[in-house]
Amino acid sequence: MWTKLYHNLAKPRYDHVWIVLLLIAEALLSTLIVKRVPYTEIDWVAYMQEVTTYQNGERDYINIRGDTGPLVYPAGFLYLYGFFKDIATRSIDTTDPTGLGGSTSPEAVRIIQWVFVVLYVINSAVVLMLYNAVLQRMRQQQNAQSSTATMVWCWRIAMGITCLSKRVHSIFVLRLFNDAPAMILLHISMYLFACCDSWALGCVVFSLAVSIKMNVLLFAPGLLLLLLQKNQSLIGTIRHLSICASIQLLLGWPFLTTYPISYIKKAFEFDRVFFYKWTVNWKFLPEEIFTSKPWALILLACHLGVLGMLTNKWWQSSISQLGDANARKPMRWTKCNKDKIRLSPEYVIYTMFASNYVGIVFARTLHYQFYCWYFYSLPMLLWLTSFGPSSSGDKFSKVVLPLVANVLAVAGVEYAFNVFPATELSSAALQMSHAYLLLKVVSSQVPSIRIDKEKMT
């Protein structure tokens, strides 16, 4: 009876039921957290100070600051959190001796917490749809093999894991960090790329994500490769990149036309140095090494080196899957034919997540809120390198062992981001988990690059 139930519940008609159940659980858990766990002030007051300074007419980014220092986010952040401020103060007394219009009062903060609960559930829905898109592709490629049910349940476990992070719940509904809305937009852009084949709109949303926090640029190398392969020409790729650039110019226009150097220098502060006491990933290093320029250059060299290695791996995969002539088409100035190219969802998602992940592994520092930059990619990358359509055979070696190892790897990362303050042990556990996944990405096969014409509907 249990075997029959196991196989029946693995059928496609229950996939959306599983997603709905997870979202209901997420909504209930997030509500419970807001009601039972005290809010902890970290950056919200500083955000409101920066927004208020902008709303009072200041356009020089050097002069826009809060208690935590000068503003270091692009203009989209000011517009979004200005909107949040308006929502928070619309129905409360705005008399405020701090001059922030009541936006930092307990009542205002609680209102924004509920807004972030909604945002969190929306983000979870988008992420689960990405996972479901990959699951459906796995079904198509595995056809009616007897191991289909096992593969489905493995992927449903991965979907469940994306709902279980204590730290990510905290980042969204207890801390109100701008990392959260930035990643929501990033995930929506990935859904547009992977599931809707809507690349122009996806570039708009991707650029909006960058305008809130520039960590989204870690996904840019993967997106550039995808644009080249999608457009099959340089001119088409430039057209999409111009969309991204136009959004940045439009949002930054009030600052670029008044104090352009100040805006560019602070909004995209690539040389920013972080404090050693907040690092999660390198706590086992002496502080003098952590803050040294040679260490920063070593990490940058490793980042670029691994990206180069993966670029070559993706190139070789293109040649083996598409043939040498088709693999070289993206480097032509104009498209040589009018055939429609549809990149597979798993390839789009895997490429963007892998691009970001390499940047995370070799980041000079990771703060606690940075976890949401890549938490949702961990099960996806681990499962795509472990439970593809060809993962049949002995159930223990092909399913049980990889599943246990993958869960332990995610648990190692989750453990590290829940130890406060970080310790040498927690940083070591994080780096071991990172190394395990990086090795799998480097050594595994690249997913199917595009969908066959007969499967494009």
Side-chain angles (χ1 to χ4, degrees):
M1 182 186 72
W2 293 112
T3 301
K4 184 178 180 180
L5 184 63
Y6 172 81
H7 285 275
N8 284 338
L9 291 178
K11 291 180 179 179
R13 64 173 175 267
Y14 293 110
D15 290 341
H16 288 97
V17 175
W18 179 251
I19 291 175
V20 170
L21 289 175
L22 290 176
L23 291 176
I24 292 173
E26 283 283 59
L28 293 175
L29 179 58
S30 299
T31 299
L32 188 63
I33 291 172
V34 170
K35 285 184 172 293
R36 296 295 180 88
V37 182
Y39 163 78
T40 304
E41 166 55 34
I42 297 180
D43 280 344
W44 177 256
V45 171
Y47 289 170
M48 292 300 98
Q49 291 169 336
E50 292 159 353
V51 165
T52 302
T53 302
Y54 160 71
Q55 291 176 339
N56 289 339
E58 182 60 67
R59 295 297 179 266
D60 187 347
Y61 249 58
I62 295 294
N63 297 326
I64 302 177
R65 58 176 56 241
D67 288 343
T68 57
L71 176 60
V72 291
Y73 310 124
F77 161 82
L78 288 173
Y79 307 142
L80 178 64
Y81 274 77
F83 175 66
F84 288 158
K85 178 185 176 183
D86 181 60
I87 293 176
T89 58
R90 189 171 297 173
S91 59
I92 65 173
D93 181 8
T94 58
T95 303
D96 187 349
T98 66
L100 301 179
S103 58
T104 59
S105 66
E107 297 84 3
V109 169
R110 179 52 59 93
I111 291 171
I112 294 302
Q113 282 188 278
W114 291 122
V115 172
F116 270 73
V117 167
V118 174
L119 293 177
Y120 180 82
V121 175
I122 291 173
N123 181 66
S124 295
V126 176
V127 169
L128 290 173
M129 287 190 290
L130 290 174
Y131 275 76
N132 189 58
V134 174
L135 173 57
Q136 301 315 312
R137 285 283 296 163
M138 297 298 109
R139 288 184 186 277
Q140 292 176 9
Q141 296 175 59
Q142 203 167 50
N143 295 319
Q145 295 181 22
S146 59
S147 57
T148 298
T150 300
M151 181 272 295
V152 168
W153 282 108
C154 285
W155 277 95
R156 286 182 181 172
I157 290 172
M159 295 164 78
I161 288 174
T162 65
C163 303
L164 294 177
S165 173
K166 175 183 177 182
R167 177 59 66 185
V168 172
H169 279 92
S170 172
I171 291 168
F172 272 78
V173 302
L174 294 179
R175 304 295 187 265
L176 314 179
F177 288 124
N178 63 325
D179 306 75
M183 294 311 298
I184 294 172
L185 290 173
L186 181 277
H187 292 143
I188 292 174
S189 75
M190 289 182 61
Y191 181 81
L192 292 169
F193 295 142
C195 304
C196 303
D197 200 32
S198 182
W199 292 81
L201 181 57
C203 284
V204 170
V205 179
F206 180 87
S207 192
L208 289 174
V210 174
S211 77
I212 296 174
K213 193 160 187 176
M214 70 174 186
N215 70 282
V216 177
L217 290 174
L218 291 175
F219 293 86
L223 178 58
L224 176 60
L225 173 62
L226 294 171
L227 288 174
L228 286 167
Q229 293 179 312
K230 171 62 183 178
N231 289 294
Q232 296 287 289
S233 69
L234 292 174
I235 191 67
T237 301
I238 292 172
R239 188 181 302 114
H240 279 109
L241 292 177
S242 68
I243 294 175
C244 297
S246 298
I247 296 297
Q248 295 304 314
L249 289 173
L250 179 63
L251 295 175
W253 191 254
F255 309 97
L256 291 171
T257 55
T258 50
Y259 299 93
I261 295 177
S262 175
Y263 177 71
I264 295 172
K265 182 179 179 181
K266 299 306 296 182
F268 301 94
E269 192 177 29
F270 292 102
D271 59 347
R272 185 180 179 190
V273 178
F274 294 95
F275 293 113
Y276 176 73
K277 67 178 181 178
W278 297 119
T279 187
V280 178
N281 54 335
W282 300 116
K283 206 66 174 185
F284 50 80
L285 292 177
E287 185 172 358
E288 57 270 21
I289 293 179
F290 173 83
T291 56
S292 68
K293 193 68 174 179
W295 176 243
L297 293 175
I298 289 172
L299 291 175
L300 177 61
C302 290
H303 182 186
L304 296 177
V306 174
L307 281 180
M309 184 190 308
L310 293 182
T311 299
N312 180 67
K313 180 184 177 69
W314 261 241
W315 174 260
Q316 296 300 324
S317 180
S318 296
I319 293 176
S320 64
Q321 292 188 38
L322 308 177
D324 185 67
N326 286 326
R328 295 180 185 277
K329 285 181 180 179
M331 302 313 296
R332 296 175 180 174
W333 181 248
T334 59
K335 193 172 181 180
C336 60
N337 58 63
K338 295 184 179 181
D339 291 343
K340 184 179 180 181
I341 303 297
R342 179 70 184 270
L343 301 179
S344 71
E346 66 270 28
Y347 178 71
V348 173
I349 295 168
Y350 185 76
T351 299
M352 291 193 70
F353 275 161
S355 171
N356 176 67
Y357 182 71
V358 173
I360 293 293
V361 170
F362 298 108
R364 189 169 183 179
T365 189
L366 293 176
H367 291 183
Y368 289 93
Q369 65 267 35
F370 297 0
Y371 188 27
C372 70
W373 296 4
Y374 74 114
F375 164 70
Y376 294 103
S377 70
L378 293 176
M380 178 67 75
L381 292 173
L382 285 165
W383 265 246
L384 274 174
T385 56
S386 304
F387 306 113
S390 60
S391 58
S392 58
D394 176 62
K395 186 170 291 189
F396 184 77
S397 62
K398 293 289 186 178
V399 177
V400 177
L401 283 181
L403 182 61
V404 171
N406 290 350
V407 170
L408 288 176
V410 177
V413 178
E414 179 71 16
Y415 160 77
F417 276 93
N418 280 283
V419 174
F420 180 82
T423 64
E424 294 181 4
L425 176 61
S426 65
S427 289
L430 179 64
Q431 294 297 350
M432 285 189 290
S433 297
H434 280 178
Y436 169 74
L437 174 52
L438 184 64
L439 181 62
K440 288 180 73 68
V441 171
V442 170
S443 61
S444 64
Q445 293 183 348
V446 176
S448 299
I449 294 177
R450 66 185 187 187
I451 300 175
D452 297 334
K453 290 182 180 179
E454 59 269 18
K455 294 181 180 180
M456 293 172 60
T457 57

